[in-house]
Amino acid sequence: MCSEIILRQEVLKDGFHRDLVIKVKLGESIEDLQTCRLLIKQDIPAGLFVDPYELASLRERNITEAVMVSENFDIEAPNYLSKESEVLIHARQDSQCDDCFQAFLPVHYRYHRPHSHDGETSIVVNHPDLLMFCDQGEGCRCFLRVRKE
């Protein structure tokens, strides 16, 4: 059905407050991408957190469309007392690329236990799940689910 899908994640900024940008380039097999909606399910590792109040503010200002799936987690808790969480993000079409979508998510580092190494800690952000729906007209609909492996 669909040709190659390219997903790229970039982390912007330095320090404890960063931005995760997810870019998706779809193949050319879908005729009218204007009818498509792309939903991204991103797992957030325990070493990071997403502030639900910040997301609400960004939605109000139409900067990003993201919501927390996980409930009852403490944004103040350190890494070793935290759990992984999930965020759903509606990706928007990229105005600079005809068959591309892009999503933006602010992420924040949690405090980690002190250690005697070089003072740096690595956190791995896995690839997200992609869910796409396209309404191609006359009852023809395209559903696509791409899972990380």
Side-chain angles (χ1 to χ4, degrees):
M1 176 191 104
C2 296
S3 56
E4 181 179 38
I5 296 173
I6 300 169
L7 181 133
R8 194 172 82 204
Q9 294 173 299
E10 295 179 58
V11 178
L12 307 177
K13 299 196 278 189
D14 293 322
F16 278 80
H17 309 284
R18 301 193 181 199
D19 294 329
L20 175 64
V21 177
I22 303 166
K23 297 180 179 186
V24 180
K25 181 171 177 39
L26 301 172
E28 300 169 1
S29 61
I30 298 175
E31 294 176 16
D32 185 11
L33 283 175
Q34 298 294 328
T35 69
C36 297
R37 303 291 173 258
L38 184 66
L39 182 67
I40 298 171
K41 184 177 91 52
Q42 179 68 60
D43 293 326
I44 306 298
L48 298 174
F49 73 92
V50 174
D51 184 341
Y53 302 107
E54 182 179 19
L55 288 185
S57 174
L58 293 172
R59 277 193 313 271
E60 286 175 6
R61 293 182 287 154
N62 201 28
I63 295 173
T64 192
E65 294 180 59
V67 293
M68 296 294 301
V69 174
S70 303
E71 295 181 6
N72 301 325
F73 70 96
D74 184 357
I75 64 173
E76 300 292 332
N79 169 341
Y80 50 90
L81 296 176
S82 300
K83 297 183 282 186
E84 189 174 271
S85 59
E86 290 180 352
V87 179
L88 292 176
I89 314 158
H90 288 275
R92 297 178 178 172
Q93 276 196 278
D94 188 340
S95 60
Q96 299 175 359
C97 173
D98 290 338
D99 53 350
C100 300
F101 286 81
Q102 183 169 292
F104 160 81
L105 184 68
V107 294
H108 308 279
Y109 277 86
R110 292 188 182 273
Y111 290 108
H112 291 72
R113 289 184 195 261
H115 54 82
S116 61
H117 300 291
D118 62 3
E120 293 187 10
T121 301
S122 295
I123 299 172
V124 176
V125 177
N126 291 322
H127 289 293
D129 290 339
L130 304 177
L131 301 159
M132 187 173 78
F133 169 78
C134 296
D135 188 350
Q136 298 290 299
E138 297 182 24
C140 179
R141 291 186 167 91
C142 168
F143 293 94
L144 169 69
R145 181 174 184 176
V146 180
R147 296 199 47 118
K148 59 184 173 273
E149 297 194 16

